[in-house]
Amino acid sequence: MVRRYYRHGYLPIREDDCSYVWQIPAEKRCEWVIKTEDCNTDSVIQYTEVLFCTFRSENTFLFSLGLIFLILWLLYLFLMLGSTADDFFCPSLAVIASIMQLSDSIAGVTILAFGNGAPDIFTSLVSASEEGIIMFTELIGAGVFVTTMIAGSIAVVKPFRVPLKLLMRDACFYMMSICWISYVVNDEIVYIWEAVSLILCYGLFIATVILMQMHETREEKLKTRIPNVSDPNILRTYLANKDIASIPRISTRKRAFGLRTKLDVAVATELQSEQIRGNLSLPEEPEEIEDPNRPKGLFKEFLYDINPISKDDWTSANWVFKIILIIRSPVMLLLQLFIPLVNTTATMRGWSKLLNCFQLCMTPTFALFLLNVWHTHFGPVSIIPIFLGTGTVIGVIVFLTTDKDRIPKYHNVFAFLGFLTAMMMVYLIAGEVVAVLQCVGYAFSISDAMLGITLLAWGNSVGDMISNLAIAKRGFPRMGYAACFGGPMFNTLLGLGLTYGRAAVNYPNLYTKMRMSDMAPGCIAFLLCSLLVTIIYLNITGAIARRSYGYTLYCIYFSFMMIQFLSEFKVIHPLGTDHRPTED
């Protein structure tokens, strides 16, 4: 009879499962990990092999030191993931939305939602079917965290009035989506049509947003018609003051990169939306703004732009953010060197002649390493010199045909190149995050579900919490609050739909089997509970999000985490499980 061992979460451990490593004698664990296929991942570093072979589990102190390094590296990966998404994804996507002439509502639920949800989307895409538990519980668990902790924190920091019609739309769509997802995964088999239906659900939401926007625009036009008055003096006063009103403008950044890049772009986008909705006009500004503090000369300007810690960020940051600036400076130097960025809130829109030309030369080759195809050959010729030579020729042409102090007409093309490169970088980092989480699960015998609910959900959402609270403090609580519903719904529907759809097409019967944790029903139940409480509370209070609303959401999340932790350590049964003994 085959012996089965159990870890937290009530999932059995097979002998070919990497978690079985603790049943192997200590002196043979390294060799066993190397030979076991389940311990090998597609990540750059084989973390389980490093942990059990370099730090040796038979030495308790050395092994504990290895676990500490592993957790610190996981935190650093989360910092890299958030920095790449915030500093490179969001500005580029805002430019792309402007180029495609998308309205603010459509851009918000498609391109910009993808920018904000990039960590969740890519961690779900890099998860194979074997890690489906991590991916599923992370998306649902992150939804609970965002709709309770982040939404509640915004209300506690700055109470505000919620646009009730928009909230009802987003919350109801989110609830219906979660109900449909629970039906789809109930039998632990996902057919291709079911995966596609998840994507279509989000398409239906987009269509609803567009229709509501069209209706509101038509209503606004009716309200702003010239009044029919008999007194010509009143009419002249109306016409004279109709376009005088202006809205506050966000200050121009000296560099395209910085600690609050995502925040500035988000606020600038919201101000532009208010201008469009309110028929407000902004005073004309010069096409190019000269920064007196910017060094003169190509090479000095290059060094100024690749400096990972700007003087403005350093002087305005408290000691916590100064530590973050220092810690993330190595990876930011790498990203700034190889990822082009167009930032509408920066001086010269982020144009830096020598840096941008260098990126044209080197970024295509850098992408080969991100995609892990650098060893490919075209006949006898390696692909590396082909891409390096082509990029160098383009870079030299751009260098000879552009001016240092004038933005080229095709500067927006850099936004597309930056978007693609940042997307590949986020995908690579997300793969490392999932691999480290698996290794941590093997080492501590923690279930995949608990890893998804806690470490992965927190790591992918803490950046959104910081930025949304900062947006609320700057006077835009509605903007930060709206992101608490549209973002998680986007991540969940597209993350699950794309992941299961990609897995299903690889099988002849066009379906994929998935593993479900006993914790999944509890996650779904608490997510629906948080959304239902939000709807009831705001309808009772007349759509005013008070501090008591935030404290109520806090209580929901703390109850959720307490039940999950008690379930993980077998103190209680997970929600939604059948406790009755099976009949033989």
Side-chain angles (χ1 to χ4, degrees):
M1 183 177 67
V2 179
R3 296 183 63 187
R4 284 191 173 188
Y5 299 88
Y6 290 82
R7 58 177 169 179
H8 304 310
Y10 298 94
L11 288 175
I13 301 178
R14 304 183 307 271
E15 293 186 8
D16 59 347
D17 191 319
C18 196
S19 298
Y20 191 80
V21 64
W22 294 110
Q23 312 305 324
I24 305 297
E27 64 277 5
K28 296 182 179 180
R29 286 171 186 161
C30 174
E31 181 182 358
W32 186 88
V33 165
I34 295 174
K35 292 181 179 180
T36 304
E37 183 179 354
D38 189 57
C39 295
N40 298 323
T41 61
D42 294 330
S43 57
V44 176
I45 303 174
Q46 297 297 324
Y47 296 100
T48 309
E49 182 178 331
V50 170
L51 182 62
F52 284 92
C53 295
T54 304
F55 293 94
R56 313 295 302 184
S57 59
E58 54 265 35
N59 187 327
T60 305
F61 173 77
L62 190 62
F63 191 74
S64 300
L65 192 63
L67 286 173
I68 293 174
F69 285 146
L70 201 65
I71 293 174
L72 290 176
W73 175 241
L74 177 64
L75 296 177
Y76 193 71
L77 285 174
F78 278 130
L79 181 61
M80 292 170 59
L81 197 62
S83 297
T84 306
D86 291 352
D87 292 346
F88 298 91
F89 243 109
C90 292
S92 297
L93 290 171
V95 174
I96 293 174
S98 177
I99 294 173
M100 298 175 66
Q101 296 182 344
L102 298 179
S103 68
D104 61 298
S105 57
I106 302 174
V109 299
T110 54
I111 290 185
L112 296 181
F114 178 69
N116 293 333
D120 295 290
I121 292 291
F122 284 108
T123 48
S124 64
L125 287 176
V126 298
S127 299
S129 57
E130 292 79 9
E131 295 90 48
I133 291 178
I134 291 182
M135 178 263 296
F136 185 86
T137 55
E138 187 275 330
L139 291 172
I140 304 298
V144 180
F145 180 83
V146 172
T147 56
T148 54
M149 294 300 294
I150 299 182
S153 297
I154 293 173
V156 171
V157 169
K158 194 174 184 66
F160 63 100
R161 182 178 293 276
V162 179
L164 192 58
K165 182 169 61 175
L166 302 183
L167 168 74
M168 293 296 294
R169 179 197 66 193
D170 296 348
C172 290
F173 255 100
Y174 200 2
M175 291 180 67
M176 289 188 294
S177 301
I178 296 301
C179 292
W180 175 242
I181 289 172
S182 63
Y183 170 78
V184 168
V185 302
N186 184 54
D187 57 356
E188 298 192 357
I189 295 178
V190 181
Y191 294 90
I192 184 66
W193 72 267
E194 292 176 329
V196 173
S197 71
L198 298 180
I199 302 175
L200 292 179
C201 282
Y202 197 75
L204 179 62
F205 174 68
I206 293 175
T208 305
V209 171
I210 295 174
L211 291 175
M212 290 184 64
Q213 182 68 26
M214 291 173 60
H215 176 72
E216 290 180 2
T217 302
R218 186 163 53 247
E219 292 294 323
E220 287 294 330
K221 288 181 178 179
L222 291 175
K223 292 179 182 178
T224 56
R225 285 180 177 176
I226 298 176
N228 184 16
V229 293
S230 56
D231 190 346
N233 292 326
I234 297 179
L235 181 59
R236 280 195 295 269
T237 303
Y238 173 82
L239 294 175
N241 293 280
K242 182 175 182 294
D243 294 324
I244 287 179
S246 62
I247 56 177
R249 188 192 316 281
I250 187 150
S251 57
T252 304
R253 300 179 58 87
K254 295 181 179 179
R255 302 194 319 161
F257 312 95
L259 197 59
R260 292 178 293 271
T261 303
K262 175 184 174 182
L263 177 61
D264 288 345
V265 171
V267 173
T269 304
E270 179 67 11
L271 291 177
Q272 184 180 10
S273 301
E274 291 294 332
Q275 176 196 6
I276 296 172
R277 285 194 294 265
N279 290 323
L280 302 175
S281 62
L282 291 171
E284 294 184 2
E285 59 182 64
E287 210 175 284
E288 298 160 12
I289 302 174
E290 186 71 21
D291 181 7
N293 298 321
R294 191 174 183 83
K296 305 298 180 182
L298 280 175
F299 190 68
K300 290 182 179 179
E301 182 186 69
F302 175 82
L303 294 177
Y304 177 80
D305 286 326
I306 65 170
N307 181 10
I309 304 178
S310 70
K311 182 180 178 180
D312 292 339
D313 283 342
W314 182 262
T315 54
S316 62
N318 56 32
W319 66 271
V320 175
F321 283 100
K322 285 182 178 179
I323 294 176
I324 293 177
L325 285 171
I326 295 173
I327 292 176
R328 77 169 195 165
S329 58
V331 67
M332 283 301 296
L333 176 62
L334 177 69
L335 296 177
Q336 290 172 200
L337 272 173
F338 292 102
I339 302 181
L341 180 62
V342 180
N343 189 342
T344 55
T345 67
T347 301
M348 301 283 292
R349 294 171 57 88
W351 167 248
S352 178
K353 180 175 178 178
L354 187 57
L355 175 60
N356 288 149
C357 292
F358 174 82
Q359 290 165 342
L360 287 175
C361 297
M362 301 303 299
T363 297
T365 306
F366 178 65
L368 297 178
F369 289 91
L370 294 179
L371 295 172
N372 196 27
V373 295
W374 56 272
H375 51 274
T376 305
H377 286 70
F378 284 118
V381 182
S382 173
I383 195 175
I384 294 179
I386 296 176
F387 273 66
L388 183 60
T390 304
T392 302
V393 170
I394 297 174
V396 170
I397 293 174
V398 172
F399 183 83
L400 296 176
T401 57
T402 56
D403 186 76
K404 181 177 76 71
D405 300 321
R406 186 175 295 276
I407 305 173
K409 294 181 179 180
Y410 48 82
H411 186 224
N412 285 336
V413 175
F414 286 89
F416 290 90
L417 180 60
F419 162 72
L420 294 174
T421 311
M423 182 172 62
M424 289 184 283
M425 191 69 187
V426 170
Y427 190 85
L428 177 68
I429 299 173
E432 298 299 301
V433 167
V434 172
V436 176
L437 282 172
Q438 285 182 288
C439 183
V440 171
Y442 301 147
F444 288 103
S445 293
I446 301 175
S447 67
D448 290 345
M450 199 63 189
L451 289 174
I453 293 170
T454 54
L455 292 179
L456 190 54
W458 294 340
N460 284 341
S461 303
V462 68
D464 290 337
M465 184 172 190
I466 294 173
S467 60
N468 286 352
L469 287 178
I471 289 172
K473 289 180 179 178
R474 292 181 65 166
F476 298 93
R478 293 183 183 180
M479 181 181 178
Y481 184 77
C484 295
F485 299 93
M489 179 168 53
F490 176 88
N491 300 340
T492 304
L493 288 173
L494 265 68
L496 295 178
L498 292 175
T499 303
Y500 292 144
R502 186 184 64 175
V505 296
N506 293 326
Y507 292 92
N509 294 327
L510 297 180
Y511 72 85
T512 181
K513 294 183 179 180
M514 58 168 294
R515 297 172 62 199
M516 283 292 293
S517 168
D518 289 340
M519 293 185 179
C523 294
I524 293 175
F526 269 94
L527 179 54
L528 292 174
C529 176
S530 69
L531 295 172
L532 188 60
V533 166
T534 291
I535 292 175
I536 295 174
Y537 182 98
L538 293 177
N539 275 279
I540 292 175
T541 61
I544 299 177
R546 301 168 180 167
R547 287 189 173 88
S548 59
Y549 168 64
Y551 297 139
T552 302
L553 294 180
Y554 287 168
C555 293
I556 293 175
Y557 189 75
F558 291 145
S559 301
F560 167 69
M561 290 307 304
M562 183 177 65
I563 290 177
Q564 300 302 338
F565 272 108
L566 292 176
S567 302
E568 175 72 9
F569 295 103
K570 302 182 181 179
V571 178
I572 62 174
H573 289 283
L575 291 178
T577 57
D578 189 356
H579 317 152
R580 296 170 298 181
T582 55
E583 298 180 0
D584 295 332

